Amino acid sequence: MEAHQVQLRVALIFLLVNSVLTQQVRLSSDSEWSALLDLRSSLGLRARDWPRKADPCSAWTGITCQNGRVVGITLSGLRRTYLGSRNPRFTVDSLANFTLLASFNSSGFLLKGSIPEWFGRSLSALQLLDLRSCSITGTIPPSLGNLSLLNSLYLSDNLITGIIPPTLGQLPSLSVLNLSQNLFKGSIPPSLSALRNLTNLDLSSNFLSGPIPSGFGSLSSLQFLNLYNNSLTGSIPVQLANLSQLIELDLGFNSLSGSVPEELGRLGSLQKMLIGNNSLEGRLPRSLFLNVTRLQYVVLSWNRFDGNLPDVLWSIPQLNFLDVSGNNLTGVLSNLIASFNATRAMFNLSNNLFYGNLTSTVGKFSSIDLSSNYFEGSVPNNVGTNVVIARNCLRSMLNQRSLEDCEVFYAERGLTFYNDRSLDPTQLPLPEPASNNKKRLTYIMALGESFTFEKILQATDNFSDTNLIKHGHSGDLFRGTLESGFPVVIKRVDLSSFREETYMSELDIFRKTSHPRDIQASSILLDDKYDVRIGSLSEVHVQGGDNHQNVITRLLRMPQ
Ligand SMILES: *[C@@H]1O[C@H](CO)[C@@H](O)[C@H](O)[C@H]1NC(C)=O
Ligand SMILES: *[C@@H]1O[C@H](CO)[C@@H](O)[C@H](O)[C@H]1NC(C)=O
Ligand SMILES: *[C@@H]1O[C@H](CO)[C@@H](O)[C@H](O)[C@H]1NC(C)=O
Ligand SMILES: *[C@@H]1O[C@H](CO)[C@@H](O)[C@H](O)[C@H]1NC(C)=O
Ligand SMILES: *[C@@H]1O[C@H](CO)[C@@H](O)[C@H](O)[C@H]1NC(C)=O
Ligand SMILES: *[C@@H]1O[C@H](CO)[C@@H](O)[C@H](O)[C@H]1NC(C)=O
Ligand SMILES: *[C@@H]1O[C@H](CO)[C@@H](O)[C@H](O)[C@H]1NC(C)=O
Ligand SMILES: *[C@@H]1O[C@H](CO)[C@@H](O)[C@H](O)[C@H]1NC(C)=O
Ligand SMILES: *[C@@H]1O[C@H](CO)[C@@H](O)[C@H](O)[C@H]1NC(C)=O
Ligand SMILES: *[C@@H]1O[C@H](CO)[C@@H](O)[C@H](O)[C@H]1NC(C)=O
Ligand SMILES: *[C@@H]1O[C@H](CO)[C@@H](O)[C@H](O)[C@H]1NC(C)=O
Ligand SMILES: *[C@@H]1O[C@H](CO)[C@@H](O)[C@H](O)[C@H]1NC(C)=O
């Protein structure tokens, strides 16, 4: 507490001393005095801000002096006179007369026109040039590369065209280079790799093409690299892994391809990694997330990543934003997420190929989007609006995928699909589809092993009345028990209302999309002469066979 107050006092004294030095000494240079008046009239500034009778060093808004000389001019926040605002041109010729000018900040103050070529020749003391949001047009004069003391160059949010001049790579002191939100085209000059003092490089939202220079790996001071929203191609250079100071990496919304170099896992300072909306592909290597212990914000969305999400992700302590939507990522999440502290986390896993049961952990997330995957089973009780679950294979939920989609997905992977949403052996009889429902469904069992008609007769006790569940609209439903003890429902279908070719061709599709190792949907159980089909209530486990064989029985959904 006390140390705090002491520090505050020290800071105040320092401020006072500072203002004595900078403000109290009157402007001593006549040429600078007349140059200021020139600037005042060429820009059309108001007397209220720059009063003619008063000393500019102490009384003019935005003027900073040192020893009676002008060292800083800030036009931001100033307003022009009515006349001046009618034609807000980039008319600053008199700036050339401030030979000690270290800082020119015009951010937000309109300077329509282009950056004068003489800036690079005449403003040799310049350390800071902030021309953000000034409606500047034209190209960057290559002469800016002569400003050897320049530390910060902000030109973002203008209408600057042309290429990024390679001469900017000659600025030895440059620490901030922000060219974002302009109309730059061409490729990123590899010469920028020489900017060893650069901490902050923002080239986002331009029309840059070509590759990310691999030389960027030698920008050893870099903390923020933003190349978002360009048309960059090629792969992510492995050399970026050398950027040991890097805190934020944004390469999103480009056309980058190839896989993500696992070496990026060396970026021990990284807090944000955004590489979404590219054409990146392949698996996400485990080592990519092994050492990035400070990671908080990860966007990998809308690429072509496949395989599993590396489990090490869940052990990153600060991770609170993860967007992997729009890929082909797969795997069961339940076990992994269970160990994750989700209280503050916002995850988007939508539009992938995740599957399996949901656990109550998903309910703990601040928000989690699981939509458009293949999650099955029932939804945990604690799930509220923080969890988006549309377009999955979830039981008793609205807006889910078709049973057929789900069946095919699980079948292709040799996985057991647990929910037959519409049928449940413990809750007979079956609900008949509403009669006004045009697409009625018949479930037909496809078996990997042949299954004789006799076995069905056995299972249903010869279609006895005691096994009759009900007289259906399109056929009678019978309860049955297979030899294995598994309950089934068998439907006798009136063939005259059923087009054979339709479902045969559907089965054909099913066969093609299925992995040959997992399923041979070769023998479809019909009766000996096509008057019985089996409707299964859920998975039918065929006795014998290995694990794959055990789950090869699939439900197919057919229009009737
Ligand atoms: C700059 O200073 C020179 C003299 O050093 C003077 O001739 C010239 O008019 C000044 N230019 C402006 C724009 O004030
Ligand atoms: C330029 O001035 C504006 C307004 O005072 C300020 O917000 C901004 O930080 C300044 N730019 C730099 C680089 O300091
Ligand atoms: C300034 O830069 C230009 C273009 O990069 C160059 O041709 C010129 O020689 C430089 N002038 C000085 C004084 O350094
Ligand atoms: C660059 O400028 C833009 C627009 O002025 C701003 O949004 C962005 O934060 C800046 N980038 C950096 C890294 O400071
Ligand atoms: C680069 O940055 C370091 C540390 O901030 C500084 O000491 C050095 O003078 C800078 N180099 C140049 C050329 O400005
Ligand atoms: C991408 O950059 C273009 C060009 O600067 C800009 O018009 C657009 O708004 C940017 N898009 C996004 C999503 O930032
Ligand atoms: C940068 O990375 C590359 C490849 O990862 C490596 O060969 C090189 O030695 C590194 N350079 C520096 C300066 O660390
Ligand atoms: C992670 O760090 C460990 C120990 O610091 C190191 O042995 C390993 O090579 C690093 N892995 C990667 C991918 O950088
Ligand atoms: C990324 O791509 C998706 C799908 O094309 C699109 O919906 C989304 O808006 C894009 N994101 C950005 C930041 O442009
Ligand atoms: C996912 O994989 C399928 C099949 O290989 C492919 O058609 C599709 O384009 C992939 N989607 C993405 C986002 O990569
Ligand atoms: C989870 O995170 C919250 C919020 O950061 C924190 O309060 C809580 O202690 C954490 N729980 C565990 C088990 O780490
Ligand atoms: C998913 O839930 C079903 C019951 O709904 C259960 O039989 C099955 O074992 C569960 N699967 C996994 C992988 O936990």
Side-chain angles (χ1 to χ4, degrees):
M1 211 52 176
E2 257 178 41
H4 226 98
Q5 284 168 354
V6 171
Q7 270 176 13
L8 197 65
R9 227 171 279 140
V10 170
L12 281 174
I13 290 164
F14 175 77
L15 272 179
L16 282 175
V17 171
N18 204 30
S19 67
V20 167
L21 280 180
T22 58
Q23 303 290 330
Q24 307 262 316
V25 181
R26 297 178 62 85
L27 184 63
S28 59
S29 157
D30 287 345
S31 71
E32 288 190 358
W33 170 244
S34 66
L36 275 176
L37 290 177
D38 276 2
L39 195 61
R40 182 178 178 269
S41 76
S42 70
L43 292 175
L45 297 177
R46 302 180 307 170
R48 181 186 303 175
D49 298 320
W50 287 17
R52 182 183 277 273
K53 298 251 169 66
D55 170 51
C57 290
S58 51
W60 288 22
T61 308
I63 302 297
T64 311
C65 300
Q66 227 162 46
N67 305 320
R69 303 286 302 277
V70 175
V71 294
I73 298 178
T74 298
L75 303 178
S76 310
L78 296 186
R79 283 170 53 199
R80 296 179 195 252
T81 59
Y82 174 70
L83 264 180
S85 61
R86 279 181 46 177
N87 190 17
R89 309 300 304 173
F90 206 148
T91 43
V92 293
D93 287 358
S94 38
L95 277 189
N97 286 46
F98 303 103
T99 50
L100 298 180
L101 190 69
S103 157
F104 181 62
N105 182 351
S106 174
S107 77
F109 182 90
L110 294 194
L111 292 173
K112 293 188 179 174
S114 41
I115 301 170
E117 193 272 335
W118 56 260
F119 261 41
R121 281 182 284 114
S122 305
L123 301 179
S124 54
L126 210 58
Q127 294 172 32
L128 184 150
L129 181 58
D130 187 344
L131 302 176
R132 276 179 278 188
S133 313
C134 295
S135 297
I136 295 169
T137 53
T139 59
I140 299 186
S143 65
L144 287 196
N146 292 334
L147 298 174
S148 59
L149 299 179
L150 198 63
N151 176 276
S152 306
L153 180 57
Y154 295 91
L155 301 177
S156 53
D157 190 22
N158 282 296
L159 301 162
I160 306 175
T161 54
I163 60 160
I164 298 174
T167 54
L168 294 188
Q170 298 163 15
L171 297 165
S173 315
L174 202 62
S175 158
V176 178
L177 178 59
N178 192 343
L179 306 180
S180 80
Q181 297 173 51
N182 278 290
L183 308 169
F184 290 112
K185 54 182 198 291
S187 50
I188 301 175
S191 63
L192 296 187
S193 311
L195 298 170
R196 296 301 152 87
N197 266 20
L198 205 60
T199 58
N200 214 315
L201 177 59
D202 192 342
L203 308 178
S204 61
S205 291
N206 280 290
F207 299 95
L208 298 168
S209 53
I212 300 172
S214 59
F216 273 15
S218 50
L219 295 171
S220 50
S221 309
L222 206 59
Q223 295 176 357
F224 301 89
L225 175 58
N226 192 348
L227 306 177
Y228 166 79
N229 187 18
N230 280 287
S231 304
L232 301 173
T233 51
S235 52
I236 300 177
V238 62
Q239 288 84 353
L240 294 190
N242 290 347
L243 301 175
S244 59
Q245 310 292 311
L246 201 63
I247 294 170
E248 283 186 33
L249 175 67
D250 191 347
L251 308 177
F253 215 61
N254 278 289
S255 303
L256 300 170
S257 55
S259 55
V260 181
E262 61 180 323
E263 287 83 352
L264 293 190
R266 292 209 306 259
L267 296 171
S269 309
L270 202 63
Q271 292 172 18
K272 287 190 174 186
M273 181 198 279
L274 299 92
I275 53 176
N277 289 65
N278 278 290
S279 302
L280 298 164
E281 62 188 15
R283 284 164 183 266
L284 295 163
R286 194 167 184 273
S287 47
L288 180 60
F289 299 104
L290 216 47
N291 286 3
V292 281
T293 51
R294 307 222 178 124
L295 214 51
Q296 297 172 15
Y297 196 103
V298 179
V299 178
L300 308 172
S301 54
W302 301 104
N303 278 289
R304 295 183 194 143
F305 294 124
D306 55 26
N308 294 310
L309 271 181
D311 54 357
V312 283
L313 263 178
W314 318 121
S315 52
I316 299 176
Q318 316 268 0
L319 186 68
N320 56 44
F321 189 97
L322 176 70
D323 185 353
V324 298
S325 60
N327 283 290
N328 265 343
L329 295 166
T330 189
V332 180
L333 287 167
S334 48
N335 304 334
L336 306 172
I337 287 187
S339 59
F340 184 72
N341 187 356
T343 0
R344 284 183 312 144
M346 297 169 71
F347 276 25
N348 188 348
L349 308 179
S350 65
N351 293 286
N352 277 292
L353 308 173
F354 294 115
Y355 60 88
N357 297 342
L358 297 179
T359 63
S360 57
T361 321
V362 297
K364 294 186 194 150
F365 278 80
S366 167
S367 83
I368 185 165
D369 188 344
L370 301 171
S371 60
S372 294
N373 279 289
Y374 290 88
F375 291 109
E376 63 173 334
S378 23
V379 175
N381 291 333
N382 66 336
V383 160
T385 51
N386 56 327
V387 185
V388 184
I389 51 169
R391 294 181 302 284
N392 276 286
C393 301
L394 294 162
R395 197 196 296 263
S396 318
M397 298 307 290
L398 293 174
N399 196 8
Q400 297 294 301
R401 291 182 188 276
S402 75
L403 196 54
E404 187 184 12
D405 280 0
C406 296
E407 283 291 344
V408 169
F409 175 89
Y410 279 81
E412 280 176 343
R413 287 157 183 80
L415 298 163
T416 309
F417 179 52
Y418 285 100
N419 29 320
D420 174 346
R421 288 198 303 274
S422 54
L423 304 165
D424 187 334
T426 62
Q427 288 172 16
L428 296 175
L430 280 181
E432 275 284 284
S435 55
N436 60 353
N437 187 346
K438 287 198 188 113
K439 272 197 164 177
R440 273 203 227 92
L441 307 172
T442 298
Y443 295 93
I444 293 175
M445 199 165 64
L447 294 174
E449 293 172 13
S450 94
F451 199 95
T452 61
F453 184 54
E454 279 66 41
K455 285 194 174 155
I456 292 169
L457 288 176
Q458 248 172 43
T460 57
D461 198 10
N462 294 324
F463 296 111
S464 71
D465 281 354
T466 34
N467 286 51
L468 179 71
I469 299 165
K470 66 189 291 190
H471 294 289
H473 197 65
S474 56
D476 294 345
L477 284 174
F478 294 88
R479 191 196 318 269
T481 310
L482 294 179
E483 264 182 331
S484 60
F486 205 89
V488 289
V489 163
I490 295 165
K491 186 174 192 172
R492 262 185 148 161
V493 182
D494 175 4
L495 258 191
S496 59
S497 68
F498 206 93
R499 293 212 356 262
E500 187 60 30
E501 319 78 60
T502 321
Y503 91 92
M504 285 306 278
S505 64
E506 295 239 25
L507 277 173
D508 218 40
I509 292 167
F510 180 61
R511 203 176 300 154
K512 278 177 189 152
T513 55
S514 303
H515 195 288
R517 190 197 57 207
D518 298 335
I519 186 158
Q520 300 103 29
S522 51
S523 89
I524 303 139
L525 184 73
L526 307 169
D527 76 330
D528 40 4
K529 287 296 161 267
Y530 303 111
D531 63 356
V532 171
R533 302 175 191 213
I534 275 193
S536 162
L537 289 175
S538 71
E539 204 71 38
V540 174
H541 292 253
V542 180
Q543 276 193 321
D546 59 24
N547 282 341
H548 283 307
Q549 295 288 312
N550 267 342
V551 294
I552 56 178
T553 306
R554 302 294 162 216
L555 295 175
L556 293 179
R557 190 159 79 162
M558 319 263 151
Q560 192 173 313

